[in-house]
Amino acid sequence: MTRRIMHIDLDAFFVSVEQTLNPELQGKPVVVGGKRDRRGVVASASYEARAFGLHAGMPLVTACRLCPQATFIEGSFPKYRDASQRFMSILADFSPYLEPVGLDEAYLEITGFESIHGSIHQMAVAIKQRIKGELGLCASVGIASGKVVAKVAAELSKPDGLLEVATGKEPSFLAPLPISKLPGIGSKGERILNGLGINTIGQLAALPLAKLKRHFGASGEFLHRYANGIDDRKIEPPAAAKSISRETTFGDDIKDRARLEATLRYLSERVGSELRQRGKQTRCVTLKLRYADFTTITRSHTLRQSGNSDQTIFDTGRQLLKRALSQDRRPARLIGIGVSNLTEPGRQLDMLDASALRLEQLNKVIDRIRQKYGFTAIQTGRTLQLKDIFPETKGGYKLNTPSLSR
Ligand code: TTP
Ligand code: MG
């Protein structure tokens, strides 16, 4: 059986998410990247805006001049991250061999899984329908025997496309396309190749390997293979993260230690909650501080015994903060906390004392309530003072965390 790889890429992703939240924007030129006439560049342009020549990377001022009637939106990352997670979990329902690439694209190895849906074509249609039905977004799908051709096919089929390249037809599919369509050829590579009289992927495929290696070194080998439609790279599931961290940049620089500690407590709870969700423990806690002049320091502490409670993370972070502040009292613009050296949880016998056990039970209860009612349903004493920093913490219930006697 030949390998079948699917590449799925959402159309005008950031813009499309904005359009689902504000249907008035549908069918209109829309740009995400910043308000009109601001500095900065276009991150995503709707296909209606692309008709005016707008594209990602274009300065906003240029975009505004070419298409003054477009709606310009600053955008907000959490919305896109949320849509991305839902997109990836739909894909994971179709095959366990999923390789996310960035937020809005992924490879899926579908060899053998298509029989459940009738055919590969029907499987692709089912994927597109679920994405449209559940997220309101359009996806373009390319299918081929390897990653590179699948990606080119998806790109070529946009928007709302579906294109399958039959096994054996990869070289003839690629041949007429301009070399800029081949992933991995940057503008520099394109210039070099154009200088050699190479404009299409077909011409590139016919170039002797030795000549390509002379100009591109080791990457010449890959260019040669990809241009000929040969790509046996495997689908690589995302590596399990080796660390977890959260950080916050303040609106104004902060000198007040109580406020720094309150923020640290909030971030420690976020980190702790994810750590427990992943069923892991940590051996190393790292504090990060960035001062007003952007100099950044990190301070780490290795725990005598691994743990995963909010209190352990926070207590360690607070000690590190105390030490850092005693050496440098400048105001901070960013504070962050992270855990690394993650391990599997030890046996109950590893629990040194009753207070550690009590903390673990408390964290379990908190996690359960938060899973049900949201992260801010419970506030610890310290984070209650953060209303001005995190508006979402309003209305939470106060919970006094026990202090650990050590
Ligand atoms: P892309 O998939 O490259 O672009 P797109 O989804 O907007 O449009 P299409 O796929 O239909 O061509 O990138 C996905 C998102 O990544 C995009 O919506 C915004 C973000 N992005 C940037 O923030 N900066 C960039 O330079 C690019 C290319 C993308
Ligand atoms: Mg996209």
Side-chain angles (χ1 to χ4, degrees):
M1 187 160 31
T2 60
R3 224 160 61 113
R4 294 276 83 188
I5 303 289
M6 205 179 259
H7 183 259
I8 307 107
D9 188 302
L10 298 174
D11 298 334
F13 177 45
F14 287 8
V15 163
S16 304
V17 171
E18 298 294 342
Q19 286 171 325
T20 59
L21 298 169
N22 179 4
E24 270 180 30
L25 296 174
Q26 273 165 22
K28 294 188 180 150
V30 179
V31 166
V32 171
K35 293 275 169 56
R36 58 177 61 237
D37 289 326
R38 289 277 172 82
R39 280 191 314 181
V41 295
V42 174
S44 178
S46 68
Y47 279 76
E48 291 77 11
R50 291 182 205 194
F52 292 86
L54 274 55
H55 57 79
M58 176 183 271
L60 287 172
V61 276
T62 315
C64 206
R65 184 159 41 77
L66 290 176
C67 188
Q69 67 273 45
T71 305
F72 289 79
I73 302 169
E74 224 158 337
S76 78
F77 193 70
K79 283 189 258 182
Y80 312 139
R81 192 183 47 209
D82 180 52
S84 172
Q85 280 168 356
R86 293 166 64 200
F87 165 59
M88 296 298 173
S89 67
I90 290 176
L91 297 183
D93 282 347
F94 285 84
S95 162
Y97 305 108
L98 171 69
E99 179 180 334
V101 184
L103 287 177
D104 85 325
E105 59 177 301
Y107 293 101
L108 204 58
E109 159 114 39
I110 52 172
T111 321
F113 290 100
E114 74 278 13
S115 54
I116 306 167
H117 305 275
S119 69
I120 285 180
H121 183 86
Q122 283 167 321
M123 181 177 183
V125 169
I127 290 176
K128 281 165 66 79
Q129 278 173 348
R130 272 200 61 190
I131 294 169
K132 185 79 197 170
E134 291 172 34
L135 304 179
L137 302 175
C138 276
S140 293
V141 175
I143 305 157
S145 58
K147 284 178 170 182
V148 85
V149 178
K151 184 173 166 74
V152 174
E155 179 68 33
L156 211 66
S157 77
K158 275 179 173 291
D160 199 11
L162 168 49
L163 183 56
E164 182 175 0
V165 179
T167 304
K169 299 282 185 220
E170 298 87 356
S172 57
F173 163 74
L174 293 174
L177 302 175
I179 47 171
S180 57
K181 294 277 180 212
L182 196 67
I185 297 193
S187 51
K188 192 174 158 211
E190 196 181 345
R191 265 200 314 277
I192 296 173
L193 288 167
N194 287 157
L196 297 170
I198 306 295
N199 300 304
T200 66
I201 302 180
Q203 291 171 319
L204 176 62
L207 215 59
L209 177 58
K211 191 165 179 182
L212 265 178
K213 278 186 164 170
R214 255 202 318 280
H215 288 278
F216 294 95
S219 353
E221 174 99 35
F222 287 100
L223 278 183
H224 183 74
R225 293 167 66 83
Y226 295 169
N228 282 283
I230 302 163
D231 180 7
D232 48 18
R233 283 175 302 163
K234 294 203 166 41
I235 297 295
E236 300 202 21
K242 294 188 177 64
S243 63
I244 300 169
S245 63
R246 292 286 183 280
E247 58 185 46
T248 287
T249 303
F250 299 112
D252 47 345
D253 299 334
I254 305 284
K255 214 171 166 182
D256 174 33
R257 180 149 149 208
R259 202 148 161 230
L260 287 172
E261 284 192 359
T263 310
L264 195 63
R265 173 78 211 187
Y266 173 82
L267 298 170
S268 301
E269 289 175 13
R270 285 273 176 188
V271 167
S273 154
E274 189 173 335
L275 190 61
R276 293 187 296 276
Q277 234 171 43
R278 293 218 210 141
K280 292 278 180 5
Q281 303 238 2
T282 177
R283 284 298 302 272
C284 183
V285 176
T286 301
L287 171 84
K288 178 172 167 185
L289 275 180
R290 178 168 296 148
Y291 297 107
D293 67 353
F294 278 87
T295 50
T296 308
I297 61 155
T298 56
R299 297 286 179 265
S300 296
H301 177 77
T302 302
L303 302 172
R304 261 191 310 130
Q305 198 194 3
S306 56
N308 64 9
S309 75
D310 298 343
Q311 195 70 34
T312 304
I313 299 167
F314 172 64
D315 282 346
T316 313
R318 190 170 46 159
Q319 289 303 323
L320 292 168
L321 178 67
K322 203 169 137 191
R323 219 171 303 147
L325 293 181
S326 71
Q327 287 160 1
D328 192 338
R329 282 296 301 162
R330 283 181 296 164
R333 74 189 310 273
L334 172 149
I335 189 166
I337 185 114
V339 294
S340 55
N341 199 345
L342 307 188
T343 58
E344 300 299 324
R347 291 162 293 128
Q348 287 290 318
L349 286 177
D350 290 347
M351 293 286 176
L352 275 184
D353 54 17
S355 61
L357 195 59
R358 202 157 62 94
L359 259 187
E360 187 186 84
Q361 283 161 351
L362 176 72
N363 277 297
K364 269 191 190 148
V365 173
I366 294 179
D367 288 342
R368 221 174 301 138
I369 296 174
R370 281 177 166 164
Q371 264 161 24
K372 209 161 170 190
Y373 301 108
F375 191 84
T376 53
I378 287 185
Q379 296 292 300
T380 53
R382 261 172 227 278
T383 58
L384 271 179
Q385 22 172 328
L386 291 176
K387 286 190 181 71
D388 52 332
I389 310 177
F390 305 105
E392 59 182 284
T393 60
K394 277 185 194 136
Y397 293 102
K398 183 172 166 158
L399 179 111
N400 286 314
T401 45
S403 52
L404 245 192
S405 47
R406 286 212 172 148

